[in-house]
Amino acid sequence: MKGFFDYFFVCVVLCLLVYRNPVEGGRLLSLSKPQPDNVAAFARWLVSQSSWGVLNTISSDLGGAPFGNVVSFSDGLPDHGHGIPYFYLTTLDPTASNALKDERSSFAISEYPVGTCGKIDPENPTCSKITLTGKLKVVDGNSSEAKFARISLFTKHPEMKDWPKDHNFQLFKLEIEDIFLINWFGGPKPLTVDQYLHAKLNRFSFAA
Amino acid sequence: MKGFFDYFFVCVVLCLLVYRNPVEGGRLLSLSKPQPDNVAAFARWLVSQSSWGVLNTISSDLGGAPFGNVVSFSDGLPDHGHGIPYFYLTTLDPTASNALKDERSSFAISEYPVGTCGKIDPENPTCSKITLTGKLKVVDGNSSEAKFARISLFTKHPEMKDWPKDHNFQLFKLEIEDIFLINWFGGPKPLTVDQYLHAKLNRFSFAA
């Protein structure tokens, strides 16, 4: 009889989770979407739930133009990100070679592909977007950080570990210096890098 | 009896279209995805099928960093784009104000949110991406180009026409100078701006 109650209890909890954290893009959002005024947690949620964005560097080949490039990234294991985006790039692609000449960079992510914007427009301020600006740096391949970056990337992007060895993919990270977050009306939310990196995350809490 | 045959004929044509142009993201892709080696048509298809991307400018406020920002855009009526991306921006947002100081810009789009990449990673070269680099310019609000831009934007993004008047949204366009397209293995595809703008589009043709 106890077995039945255990089963029933698990069922009820799962039903509640699914009810309050709708299945988006075929998966249960275990890290629930914070309220827009919970700024640091919201920013971390958006970065953690995303798997790709546009990484920008300065292109000396194109007259110093800002060059955006679609890339995959990871800030940690799913729902357990640390907030710092890691990338797996090759200098065969201009972004990595640009960064080796000029580290100034930004990384832009939209909530739209996460699937939680509903029918509103991607440019509507209630469909959130974040731009992390800073320096794009190579991660020392033998460091403990490289181990973390590799696990983070290869877990979210399993095919990466099979990408061609002769392309010399390297680990990069964005050292964040400024955060631009829009997640509601009224302009960008004030958010320091320190607040972002030390956000208190409310795992499994219920968004209203 | 003729009415029945008309009905039957239309049914068969629609079935064939749906079969060969799968419904992606809830809509029929009437402009079919070209083969990767049909470079100019492929680039135009990707731009035409997309509704948002990341627009990059130089931020003097952030030490000249390349600043990416998620924005909506349109290059024309659905499936009838001209290839030039138009934007509806306010100087309350840094991108427009950056561009008024320094026109150097790029616009990056991924095929991933179009829904035609299947299960491959967004950074896999067979999931296409394009970066258009050039100058971000204001469109004269009284010109015939502005009329085209307005119809193009408001048709793809109906809520735009109701955005706050006191935010002084303006029409912008990217004058393209360089094109970076990856849509298969082997690095970026050679593609001139002229080839891109005058691509022969294969409307309603069947992709293999």
Side-chain angles (χ1 to χ4, degrees):
Chain A
M1 196 64 180
K2 185 178 174 296
F4 169 76
F5 281 112
D6 286 351
Y7 168 79
F8 185 72
F9 176 74
V10 170
C11 267
V12 168
V13 169
L14 277 175
C15 287
L16 278 171
L17 279 171
V18 170
Y19 175 69
R20 301 303 301 263
N21 298 274
V23 176
E24 310 276 3
R27 72 203 156 85
L28 178 69
L29 298 182
S30 51
L31 190 63
S32 63
K33 181 174 169 178
Q35 296 289 345
D37 55 0
N38 192 357
V39 182
F42 194 105
R44 289 286 297 279
W45 169 83
L46 179 54
V47 171
S48 170
Q49 294 301 309
S50 302
S51 64
W52 65 277
V54 172
L55 185 58
N56 308 287
T57 49
I58 298 285
S59 170
S60 54
D61 291 343
L62 296 170
F67 180 78
N69 200 350
V70 174
V71 296
S72 294
F73 82 104
S74 178
D75 75 327
L77 293 177
D79 297 327
H80 289 80
H82 293 190
I84 298 166
Y86 292 99
F87 309 94
Y88 199 49
L89 307 173
T90 161
T91 50
L92 294 174
D93 208 57
T95 299
S97 56
N98 287 345
L100 294 179
K101 292 177 206 153
D102 187 334
E103 292 179 328
R104 289 176 297 175
S105 178
S106 75
F107 186 53
I109 300 170
S110 168
E111 185 188 338
Y112 201 75
V114 175
T116 42
C117 284
K119 290 187 184 306
I120 58 168
D121 194 85
E123 197 174 311
N124 184 306
T126 65
C127 182
S128 66
K129 57 183 180 177
I130 193 166
T131 305
L132 306 169
T133 305
K135 302 281 188 290
L136 187 58
K137 290 176 183 281
V138 176
V139 177
D140 174 1
N142 296 316
S143 62
S144 59
E145 187 175 18
K147 197 173 168 186
F148 175 78
R150 216 172 275 121
I151 291 172
S152 303
L153 283 161
F154 294 176
T155 305
K156 272 198 174 175
H157 307 278
E159 68 170 72
M160 276 184 177
K161 59 183 180 299
D162 299 320
W163 285 357
K165 300 297 172 215
D166 61 353
H167 282 30
N168 296 319
F169 279 93
Q170 284 178 282
L171 298 163
F172 284 75
K173 71 169 171 177
L174 187 70
E175 275 192 5
I176 307 166
E177 296 171 350
D178 185 86
I179 300 169
F180 172 82
L181 170 72
I182 301 251
N183 69 351
W184 200 250
F185 304 106
K189 292 284 172 66
L191 177 61
T192 67
V193 177
D194 192 61
Q195 287 166 340
Y196 169 81
L197 291 177
H198 299 100
K200 199 174 169 189
L201 303 181
N202 205 7
R203 292 186 206 286
F204 294 102
S205 71
F206 293 144
Chain B
M1 196 64 181
K2 184 178 174 300
F4 169 77
F5 281 113
D6 288 350
Y7 168 80
F8 184 74
F9 176 75
V10 170
C11 267
V12 168
V13 169
L14 277 175
C15 286
L16 278 171
L17 278 171
V18 171
Y19 175 71
R20 300 304 300 262
N21 298 274
V23 176
E24 308 275 3
R27 72 208 156 83
L28 178 70
L29 297 183
S30 50
L31 190 63
S32 63
K33 181 175 169 177
Q35 296 291 345
D37 55 1
N38 191 357
V39 182
F42 194 105
R44 289 286 298 277
W45 169 82
L46 179 54
V47 171
S48 170
Q49 294 302 308
S50 302
S51 64
W52 66 278
V54 173
L55 185 57
N56 311 292
T57 49
I58 298 285
S59 170
S60 54
D61 291 343
L62 296 169
F67 179 79
N69 200 350
V70 174
V71 296
S72 294
F73 82 103
S74 178
D75 75 328
L77 293 177
D79 297 327
H80 289 81
H82 292 191
I84 299 165
Y86 293 98
F87 309 95
Y88 199 49
L89 307 173
T90 161
T91 50
L92 295 174
D93 208 57
T95 299
S97 55
N98 287 346
L100 295 179
K101 292 178 207 153
D102 187 334
E103 293 179 327
R104 288 177 297 176
S105 179
S106 75
F107 186 53
I109 300 170
S110 168
E111 186 188 339
Y112 201 75
V114 175
T116 43
C117 284
K119 290 187 185 305
I120 58 169
D121 194 84
E123 198 176 310
N124 185 305
T126 65
C127 183
S128 67
K129 57 182 180 178
I130 192 167
T131 304
L132 307 169
T133 304
K135 303 281 188 289
L136 187 58
K137 289 177 184 280
V138 176
V139 177
D140 174 1
N142 297 315
S143 62
S144 59
E145 186 175 20
K147 198 174 166 184
F148 176 78
R150 216 172 276 122
I151 291 172
S152 303
L153 283 162
F154 294 175
T155 305
K156 272 197 173 175
H157 307 278
E159 69 171 73
M160 277 185 177
K161 59 182 180 300
D162 300 319
W163 285 356
K165 299 297 171 214
D166 61 354
H167 281 32
N168 296 319
F169 280 93
Q170 283 178 282
L171 297 164
F172 284 75
K173 72 167 171 179
L174 188 71
E175 275 191 7
I176 306 165
E177 296 172 350
D178 185 84
I179 300 169
F180 172 82
L181 171 73
I182 302 251
N183 69 352
W184 201 250
F185 304 106
K189 292 284 173 67
L191 177 60
T192 67
V193 178
D194 192 58
Q195 287 167 340
Y196 169 80
L197 292 177
H198 299 101
K200 198 172 170 191
L201 303 181
N202 205 8
R203 290 186 207 287
F204 294 102
S205 72
F206 294 143

